[in-house]
Amino acid sequence: MNNNQNLLKEKIAKVLTEVLSRNVQPNELTNEVDLINEIGLNSLQFLEFILEVENEFDIEIDVGNLDLRYFKKYMYLEKFISECIAEK
């Protein structure tokens, strides 16, 4: 894993920690982890997570085009956020 991926994972863990009000360690974010069913994002926290990700990474996420499968595996979310960062 390169430094950019490590930094991205640390920032996502930080946002999850804020949203879930529990400590989420970067090592919990394996490529296969399901953020909804395993990490525990509920529907309200999901929306807060999206807003916090936008703030943390200074990106804009089009919720209308947001696909829930990005949250079924961490690796999909990481790729999606990386693409959003690259587009800005």
Side-chain angles (χ1 to χ4, degrees), residues 21-82:
S21 298
R22 76 168 180 84
N23 195 17
V24 177
Q25 297 296 321
N27 64 348
E28 288 182 71
L29 301 177
T30 63
N31 282 341
E32 300 296 318
V33 74
D34 182 325
L35 296 173
I36 295 169
N37 294 315
E38 293 177 60
I39 296 295
L41 278 177
N42 65 32
S43 56
L44 186 57
Q45 291 166 331
F46 177 81
L47 294 174
E48 186 179 348
F49 177 73
I50 297 298
L51 293 172
E52 292 298 325
V53 164
E54 287 181 323
N55 290 334
E56 181 68 32
F57 295 100
D58 192 29
I59 58 176
E60 194 168 314
I61 296 174
D62 180 3
V63 184
N65 291 327
L66 190 61
D67 192 331
L68 279 180
R69 77 181 153 181
Y70 296 140
F71 297 87
K72 293 309 260 176
K73 290 188 180 182
Y74 171 77
M75 65 182 172
Y76 299 154
L77 177 66
E78 184 178 285
K79 182 176 187 249
F80 173 71
I81 291 173
S82 294

Side-chain angles (χ1 to χ4, degrees), residues 11-24:
K11 286 184 172 189
I12 291 171
K14 176 184 163 214
V15 171
L16 283 168
T17 294
E18 292 171 7
V19 170
L20 295 173
S21 298
R22 76 168 180 84
N23 195 17
V24 177

